[in-house]
Amino acid sequence: MRARTFTESGRRTQIVTAAIEVIAEVGYAKASFSRIAKHAGLSSTGMISYHFAGKDDLLAACVSEIEKVTGAFMQPYIDAAEGHIAQLRAYVESNIALVGEHPAEVRALIDIVKNAGSQSAAVNGRLAMVEEHLRTGQAAGVFRPLDTRTAAIAFISGLDSVVVTATAAAPEPTELARIGRELADLYVRATAADPEGESA
């Protein structure tokens, strides 16, 4: 029983990984079960149907897996940063670096959320998270007086645009690091109470 459970769990993971890679390569619209089954090395699409109720179920599993991957990559950078400004920098720079480390996952998530109407808790929760970060930073005297909602919308929109552009262009890691620093500098200068952004 344990071996069977492990095998089924492994097969499900194999299918999800294949789906992510196929969506990243050909896009959501062309990511058919037949393509995914072939990429996963399955004998038929029936194995996908056995593990997933339908394409929406498979896409939800893909989103969940991508969120785990992106969170595991970014969170250590954010946790290691001390203070509101450092955490802001870490969030931006790690998000841009993510494009180089996990390009397939980033491309797939962008396409799934944009074209499939799939919900991502991590994506949808970013606006509230950034707004709360700015608000608590203001209370600590780190961020200057500004409308946190407007700033958060601009922050997320700008970051998304840079990520989408970087994903399409596939820059080298050193270039991604430079882009991340530049964008983080821009946000710090726009929000920090200290003009130089040196506050803790």
Side-chain angles (χ1 to χ4, degrees), residues 38-67:
K38 182 178 180 180
H39 191 79
L42 304 178
S43 58
S44 72
T45 60
M47 289 298 295
I48 300 177
S49 298
Y50 174 77
H51 289 281
F52 299 94
K55 194 167 186 178
D56 287 346
D57 188 27
L58 175 56
L59 291 176
C62 288
V63 169
S64 178
E65 177 61 24
I66 294 169
E67 288 179 347

Side-chain angles (χ1 to χ4, degrees), residues 70 73-74 92-107 110 159-173 175-177 179:
T70 58
F73 178 81
M74 292 176 60
V92 173
E93 292 180 6
S94 64
N95 205 322
I96 301 298
L98 180 69
V99 174
E101 292 293 327
H102 297 284
E105 287 84 354
V106 174
R107 283 197 297 270
I110 291 170
L159 181 57
D160 282 353
S161 294
V162 172
V163 167
V164 169
T165 302
T167 301
E172 293 296 320
E175 177 62 7
L176 283 172
I179 292 170

Side-chain angles (χ1 to χ4, degrees), residues 107-191:
R107 283 197 297 270
L109 183 61
I110 291 170
D111 206 48
I112 291 171
V113 172
K114 179 181 178 182
N115 297 305
S118 295
Q119 298 296 308
S120 167
V123 170
N124 294 341
R126 294 176 306 158
L127 185 62
M129 179 190 70
V130 171
E131 187 175 4
E132 177 63 17
H133 186 74
L134 293 173
R135 189 181 298 114
T136 58
Q138 284 179 328
V142 173
F143 296 127
R144 67 178 180 81
L146 48 76
D147 181 78
T148 55
R149 183 70 173 180
T150 302
I153 292 171
F155 181 99
I156 293 299
S157 298
L159 181 57
D160 282 353
S161 294
V162 172
V163 167
V164 169
T165 302
T167 301
E172 293 296 320
T174 53
E175 177 62 7
L176 283 172
R178 185 194 67 79
I179 292 170
R181 288 193 302 271
E182 289 285 340
L183 187 60
D185 286 345
L186 179 65
Y187 286 149
V188 168
R189 287 195 297 269
T191 58

